[in-house]
């Protein structure tokens, strides 16, 4: 079944992307994501630490935990205005994610959590964003949108349980993030945020 595009809404809170200082070559490594508030980030980090205790590996840092909506890769910083305009025109409704599933990828080395039941508003947001980005000429991977929050990398054992107690994440906005390489690994910088519509 085709996904109906979301009606564009004016987002009163849509802010211009900030601080475009990128690399000397003027390119930025970018992705759109859902970014948890402090309480949700703490709960996700606790889940990451529990999985690391069970399976070994490297837990994501609390300040890097997110759910990717669309990975753009390296783009010239002059594309930021176009990305901002696309994001501002997306619209979309708020939703709650029930993170009640733990999954593994890459031979069980990556452990992630996600919802066993996808909110239609999340599916629509991911699909509309991808459609608009592709229509504007941005190259996205063809792989299907599988909403997940990576929690542990380089795990050495498989977690016991696939199902777990649900963490409730109320999602009211989405963000554009720049991934920067520092001495301590990747640093993620939120450079734009757009609010989702309140449900009536
Ligand atoms: P992951 O959590 O499954 O690693 C920043 O790298 C974010 O973009 C991560 O959340 C990562 O997903 C996601 N991502 C999607 N496609 C990617 C790619 N081709 N290379 C790097 N990261 C990618």
């Amino acid at each position: 079944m085709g996904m109906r595009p979301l009606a564009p809404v004016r987002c009163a809170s849509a802010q211009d992307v900030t601080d475009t200082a990128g690399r000397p070559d003027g390119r930025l490594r970018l992705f759109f994501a859902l970014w948890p508030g402090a309480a949700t980030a703490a709960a996700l980090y606790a889940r990451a630490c529990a999985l690391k205790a069970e399976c070994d590996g490297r837990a994501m840092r609390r300040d890097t935990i997110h759910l990717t909506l669309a990975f753009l890769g390296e783009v010239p910083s002059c594309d930021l205005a176009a990305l901002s305009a696309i994001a501002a025109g997306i619209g979309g409704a708020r939703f709650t994610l029930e993170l009640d599933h733990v999954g593994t990828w890459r031979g069980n080395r990556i452990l992630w959590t996600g919802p066993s039941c996808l909110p239609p508003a999340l599916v629509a947001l991911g699909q509309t964003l991808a459609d608009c980005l592709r229509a504007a000429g941005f190259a996205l991977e063809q792989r299907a949108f599988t909403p997940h929050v990576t929690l542990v990398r380089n795990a050495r054992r498989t977690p016991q349980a696939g199902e777990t107690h649900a963490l409730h994440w109320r999602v009211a906005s989405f963000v554009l993030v720049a991934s920067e390489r520092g001495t301590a690994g990747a640093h993620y910088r939120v450079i734009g945020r757009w609010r989702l519509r309140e449900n009536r």
Side-chain angles (χ1 to χ4, degrees):
M1 191 181 69
M3 183 62 57
R4 224 158 31 98
L6 296 166
V9 294
R10 264 186 70 79
C11 295
S13 62
Q15 64 181 53
D16 290 326
V17 291
T18 54
D19 185 5
T20 59
R23 301 182 329 203
D25 62 2
R27 294 179 80 80
L28 294 162
R29 189 175 170 85
L30 297 175
F31 59 97
F32 283 101
L34 305 179
W35 210 264
T40 305
L44 285 164
Y45 182 65
R47 178 163 290 177
C49 292
L51 284 168
K52 174 190 156 57
E54 182 187 351
C55 306
D56 213 343
R58 178 169 56 83
M60 292 285 286
R61 295 198 312 270
R62 186 192 319 227
D63 61 328
T64 63
I65 290 175
H66 64 273
L67 185 153
T68 299
L69 293 170
F71 182 77
L72 291 154
E74 305 218 340
V75 302
S77 53
C78 59
D79 281 348
L80 283 173
L83 290 170
S84 182
I86 289 168
I90 293 290
R94 299 181 183 190
F95 55 90
T96 299
L97 273 179
E98 306 285 354
L99 300 166
D100 57 358
H101 181 76
V102 170
T104 68
W105 277 333
R106 302 221 185 108
N108 299 332
R109 290 178 65 77
I110 295 196
L111 312 183
W112 52 269
T113 194
S116 57
C117 182
L118 292 181
L122 168 61
V123 177
L125 177 60
Q127 187 66 56
T128 307
L129 197 50
D131 289 348
C132 292
L133 290 168
R134 287 199 178 101
F138 290 96
L140 302 181
E141 289 184 333
Q142 289 301 325
R143 73 180 177 191
F145 175 46
T146 310
H148 68 279
V149 181
T150 298
L151 294 178
V152 173
R153 297 189 192 275
N154 300 326
R156 290 152 75 100
R157 290 181 289 279
T158 310
Q160 286 281 319
E163 303 311 312
T164 183
H165 69 276
L167 297 179
H168 311 285
W169 177 0
R170 183 78 189 136
V171 177
S173 64
F174 66 99
V175 297
L176 179 62
V177 185
S179 171
E180 295 160 348
R181 286 246 150 247
T183 43
H187 170 75
Y188 296 144
R189 190 160 55 96
V190 173
I191 60 173
R193 180 182 295 274
W194 294 268
R195 281 216 181 138
L196 296 168
R197 203 175 47 232
E198 280 189 65
N199 296 311
R200 304 224 169 106

